[in-house]
């Protein structure tokens, strides 16, 4: 029985209860939102997840970290270290995007070790096999696709990115567009190649019902991928992108009818002034399905700093209603992320998600800020550091430059405004009282 | 003759021309906006600035870097290095916020070496003298204030932060508020102390006309400071803050009437959902004077990462109409920034300003993104790196992990979507053509 089927039977599952507990919400609210599709709980029935997470309306904005090898960077241990690092800094889910020879081994290990939901992009495995045997992408058969999806499902993958919206129609819009970067999604590029080589319709679209059937069996959440996402600001919110989004909305409804949980993936690179319309469009075209955005990156000129460009876009998108942020690391557009890049990416994205949660009014968010602010007022450095997002870094900064009077910092030293204000009010509370009374 | 006086005489000054050239705008437009106060050109008549800059409506969002010593961190050379670093990474102005013994020497050197406008906060020098001689802040006299301002004006300072809105009335609102952090502005805390100790009204408010007189003589831009700015999200947009803003609007009009250029300083720490209303309120209460924001920081929980929390807030504020972003470095709330912190702070803030400029539709902004995107499409790494905001960092990232086939990166290697798409379209342009034609 899938979560949606249980909800339809008015049942509150153990998983719904866990999500409700984590969010401080009523279990019945989670059930209702699973039923109407505005919340998903990615969790394969074959796998036990320590940290279940709900994604969607009214819940804390979640963060995903992409890990996994690429050809030539296939160190298994380093990917497992990245998993641990992503979890340490608060990633709510991970996706294993491995390509190359060790793909299966890495996935198996990640599924074994990850306390959080794990997602994959099955087309990567299918294409990797073809490329390893020097065969054309166009030689991929529907059977190969379905059996790979079924195998990964059996292994326990919790959510799949399926690029079912890269249709001939969307490609036609792309070819007629003024894009500078055409396709920048790996899945999108592979499927467009398949279409070009076979002259047939996207099998993930054509055989979507079959994919839904497998997802239902394991209660896997389908994440409908955006193969047409813009790869630069110039390409944002164009007909190719929106044509795909319309298809994703159509397929999302289909999946839900079959009691399969579904979320929608979104861009990418978008100018700040187009972010809210992108979120609103996803919500209206896809029956308010949870929106999972990659970035969005708000300027193309900052390779090396794309954790910052995407923290800006992610914070805006989430405050407008996006539910799930895929991290972007400083190495985006330049290299496979290192362990340190993973850390930087997760923290920047957690900052964006948390800042948006305050704007969304998510329960408990502002309280975290108030707690550290109270300690800042007391100039209690130990507690401020404890309550900060990366206590190790905060401590190291503070230690590197400790001021002689230990209750201030070297930014202002004796001119610490908090200290000055407190000293003056303590000494002269009578005058202050007079001011308060309206002198 | 001040810039405003010249504009009133219908004159286009050399400075207006320089600003127009830098912005790709008509000189007459700059003149009109200087006249109606929506653009300022901070530039003391006593100093020659190589890189003049206009700040305000329709112009590129500008970035300021705060440098300067604090007690115990008084290394002159290190502050001069920070100046060079801020300029290298594109800071449009700098403020010397030095306190302590070497304050005058540092200011003199910065004024000598800075190719960009230099701002100061005169109350810091006045208070430093008192504190050095162990005298109460309340012993500061009006004469001491005016003579310090006049001296700094003669030395060539281009803009002054004047905390003229910290009035008894604003303090009364503060005392009745539910703030967690009361005052976090150094100037605000000093003036509130002065008021408490003397039981008199803020001299920067009471003698504002005298300050305007000095500013007019040197055509110094007054930056009306926000001593009541919120120091945490909980304190944002409250009656104390807005009471001060109303006063700043009143005084801004006064200064303009005397042909003195003026801008308004703003918060601080604000939740994302309150940023646009803060910008709109400044514009309506202050006759559309340029808005100079510090951050805003959008969550309090990230000391060590406040260049990111403020890049988020700054990008949103500027895209809503803020004109001038004061950088925040990773060391904010923890220590005086190091050279590396200055670099990180300037770059994060430049990213925010540029992303906002694209949203604002500022001339030439999107073109920078399109240029790098075209090179990304060609997989021309040398040019991509050249066009990026920090070519050194981008190059180092790329070099650290060069892929065997040099025209891709190790993120995707052979699975580079740009490569896959290009290969497939090159090989099969006939099929693609068919798709384009509506097959």
């Amino acid at each position: 029985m899938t979560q949606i089927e249980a909800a339809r039977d008015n049942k509150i599952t153990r998983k719904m209860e866990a999500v409700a507990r984590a969010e401080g919400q009523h279990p019945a609210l989670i059930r209702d939102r699973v039923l109407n599709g505005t919340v998903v709980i990615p969790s394969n029935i074959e796998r036990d997840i320590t940290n279940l997470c709900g994604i969607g309306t009214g819940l804390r904005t979640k963060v995903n970290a992409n890990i996994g090898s690429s050809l030539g960077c296939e160190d298994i241990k380093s990917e497992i270290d990245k998993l641990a690092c992503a979890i340490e800094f608060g990633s709510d889910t991970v996706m294993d995007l491995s390509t190359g020879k060790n793909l299966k081994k890495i996935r198996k290990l990640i599924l074994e070790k990850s306390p959080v939901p794990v997602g994959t992009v099955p087309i990567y495995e299918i294409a990797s096999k073809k490329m390893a045997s020097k065969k054309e992408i166009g030689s991929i058969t529907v059977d190969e696709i379905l059996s790979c999806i079924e195998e990964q499902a059996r292994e326990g993958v919790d959510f799949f990115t399926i690029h079912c919206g890269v249709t001939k129609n969307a490609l036609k819009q792309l070819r007629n567009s003024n894009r500078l970067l055409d396709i920048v999604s790996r899945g999108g590029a592979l499927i467009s190649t398949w279409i070009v080589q076979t002259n047939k319709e996207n099998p993930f679209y054509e055989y979507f019902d079959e994919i839904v059937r497998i997802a239902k069996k394991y209660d896997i959440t389908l994440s409908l991928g955006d193969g047409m996402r813009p790869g630069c600001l110039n390409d944002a919110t164009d007909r190719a992108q929106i044509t795909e989004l319309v298809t994703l909305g159509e397929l999302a409804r289909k999946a839900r009818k079959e009691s399969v949980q579904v979320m929608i993936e979104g861009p990418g690179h978008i100018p700040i002034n187009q972010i809210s319309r992108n979120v609103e469009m996803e919500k209206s075209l896809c029956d308010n399905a949870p929106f999972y955005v990659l970035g969005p990156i708000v300027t193309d000129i900052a390779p090396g700093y794309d954790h910052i460009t995407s923290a800006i876009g992610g914070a805006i998108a989430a405050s407008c209603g996006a539910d799930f942020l895929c991290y972007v690391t400083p190495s985006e557009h330049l290299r496979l992320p290192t362990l340190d890049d993973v850390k930087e990416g997760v923290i920047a994205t957690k900052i964006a998600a948390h800042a948006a949660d305050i704007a969304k009014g998510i329960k408990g968010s502002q309280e975290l800020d108030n707690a550290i602010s109270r300690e800042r007022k007391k100039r209690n450095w130990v507690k401020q550091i404890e309550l900060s997002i990366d206590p190790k870094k905060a401590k190291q900064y503070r230690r590197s430059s400790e001021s002689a009077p230990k209750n201030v910092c070297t930014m202002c030293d004796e001119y610490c405004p908090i200290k000055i204000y407190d000293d003056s009010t303590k000494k002269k509370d009578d005058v202050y009282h007079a001011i308060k009374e309206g002198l």
Side-chain angles (χ1 to χ4, degrees), chain A:
Chain A
M1 199 182 248
T2 69
Q3 295 296 311
I4 293 183
E5 285 176 313
R8 193 168 292 124
D9 283 0
N10 226 17
K11 277 184 197 139
I12 289 170
T13 64
R14 181 187 58 78
K15 291 177 183 178
M16 294 174 197
E17 265 168 6
V19 167
R21 213 166 25 245
E23 303 275 344
Q25 301 282 1
H26 292 296
L29 183 107
I30 305 299
R31 180 200 58 207
D32 294 351
R33 292 194 176 155
V34 166
L35 181 60
N36 71 19
T38 57
V39 163
V40 297
I41 306 174
S43 163
N44 186 316
I45 56 163
E46 294 292 329
R47 209 168 83 82
D48 257 335
I49 300 171
T50 327
N51 308 340
L52 278 167
C53 91
I55 301 167
T57 306
L59 308 188
R60 189 169 53 75
T61 303
K62 302 304 185 296
V63 168
N64 175 71
N66 288 338
I67 56 177
S69 61
S70 68
L71 276 167
C73 292
E74 303 197 66
D75 178 16
I76 297 177
K77 186 183 167 303
S78 120
E79 297 313 313
I80 299 304
D81 288 347
K82 288 180 196 170
L83 168 67
C85 172
I87 302 302
E88 180 186 349
F89 290 100
S91 201
D92 298 289
T93 66
V94 295
M95 287 191 79
D96 172 18
L97 303 189
S98 293
T99 51
K101 291 188 300 289
N102 291 329
L103 181 151
K104 275 186 188 231
K105 210 182 279 178
I106 293 175
R107 184 172 68 236
K108 202 171 159 273
L109 274 169
I110 290 176
L111 284 167
E112 208 179 285
K113 290 178 187 293
S114 172
V116 300
V118 174
T120 62
V121 188
I123 184 79
Y124 293 177
E125 180 174 0
I126 303 161
S128 286
K129 273 183 204 158
K130 290 291 170 190
M131 284 168 90
S133 56
K134 309 266 177 217
K135 285 190 187 134
E136 295 264 37
I137 292 301
S139 72
I140 294 171
T141 65
V142 174
D143 277 353
E144 283 169 345
I145 291 171
L146 296 177
S147 67
C148 173
I149 290 176
E150 177 105 37
E151 192 192 338
Q152 290 200 15
R154 257 197 316 269
E155 285 180 22
V157 173
D158 302 294
F159 61 105
F160 285 143
T161 292
I162 300 290
H163 295 91
C164 46
V166 182
T167 58
K168 282 185 171 180
N169 187 27
L171 283 176
K172 186 185 139 196
Q173 294 293 346
L174 178 70
R175 295 286 283 180
N176 285 326
S177 75
N178 297 319
R179 284 202 173 189
L180 293 179
L181 268 160
D182 298 312
I183 287 181
V184 297
S185 146
R186 284 195 280 190
L190 291 167
I191 288 167
S192 98
T193 300
W194 192 91
I195 294 174
V196 167
Q197 291 178 351
T198 63
N199 203 10
K200 287 187 195 156
E201 186 52 284
N202 177 355
F204 291 86
Y205 176 81
E206 286 271 279
Y207 295 87
F208 188 71
D209 293 343
E210 295 301 308
I211 295 168
V212 165
R213 194 186 47 74
I214 299 168
K216 184 172 183 175
K217 200 163 138 194
Y218 298 89
D219 201 7
I220 289 166
T221 298
L222 294 181
S223 187
L224 307 190
D226 54 338
M228 292 290 169
R229 68 170 172 267
C232 63
L233 267 55
N234 175 76
D235 299 356
T237 330
D238 71 349
R239 285 186 287 274
Q241 183 197 322
I242 304 306
T243 297
E244 178 182 48
L245 185 61
V246 168
T247 304
L248 299 187
E250 173 201 335
L251 298 179
R253 188 173 288 186
K254 237 178 166 180
R256 278 176 181 173
K257 260 200 191 138
E258 295 302 317
S259 305
V260 167
Q261 303 186 91
V262 63
M263 54 190 173
I264 306 292
E265 294 185 16
H269 294 234
I270 325 183
I272 288 176
N273 56 318
Q274 294 180 23
I275 294 176
S276 67
R277 76 184 75 155
N278 268 272
V279 177
E280 286 153 16
M281 216 148 24
E282 185 275 341
K283 294 288 177 184
S284 63
L285 291 174
C286 305
D287 304 322
N288 295 305
F291 196 23
Y292 175 21
V293 295
L294 173 58
I297 282 171
V298 294
T299 169
D300 306 316
I301 65 164
Y305 298 89
D306 277 323
H307 59 314
I308 297 179
T309 63
S310 67
I312 295 171
I316 298 174
S319 66
C320 293
D323 307 283
F324 190 20
L325 304 179
C326 186
Y327 86 166
V328 174
T329 78
S331 71
E332 187 78 17
H333 305 112
L334 293 168
R335 69 177 182 201
L336 195 73
T338 62
L339 195 61
D340 199 53
D341 292 334
V342 168
K343 179 189 158 185
E344 292 293 315
V346 171
I347 289 180
T349 314
K350 290 288 288 185
I351 287 172
H354 176 69
D357 283 346
I358 293 169
K360 280 175 172 174
I362 297 295
K363 224 172 173 172
S365 300
Q366 169 90 49
E367 284 68 18
L368 299 177
D369 293 59
N370 291 356
I372 195 170
S373 300
R374 277 186 206 103
E375 301 306 328
R376 193 164 278 155
K377 177 67 176 174
K378 294 183 214 155
R379 283 170 281 141
N380 183 333
W381 297 92
V382 173
K383 285 207 178 152
Q384 265 184 80
I385 287 168
E386 256 175 48
L387 291 168
S388 69
I389 198 165
D390 181 2
K392 226 167 151 178
K393 186 178 184 189
K395 193 184 220 169
Q396 179 233 315
Y397 268 50
R398 165 116 183 114
R399 285 251 168 111
S400 73
S401 166
E402 256 173 291
S403 190
K406 292 289 194 304
N407 61 355
V408 296
C409 88
T410 56
M411 173 69 122
C412 303
D413 206 291
E414 278 300 319
Y415 294 84
C416 171
I418 300 172
K419 182 177 185 302
I420 293 173
Y421 181 84
D422 280 357
D423 289 352
S424 75
T425 47
K426 266 173 212 149
K427 276 185 217 149
K428 295 273 180 177
D429 221 54
D430 46 339
V431 177
Y432 251 105
H433 186 71
I435 289 172
K436 187 172 172 177
E437 294 307 304
L439 135 175

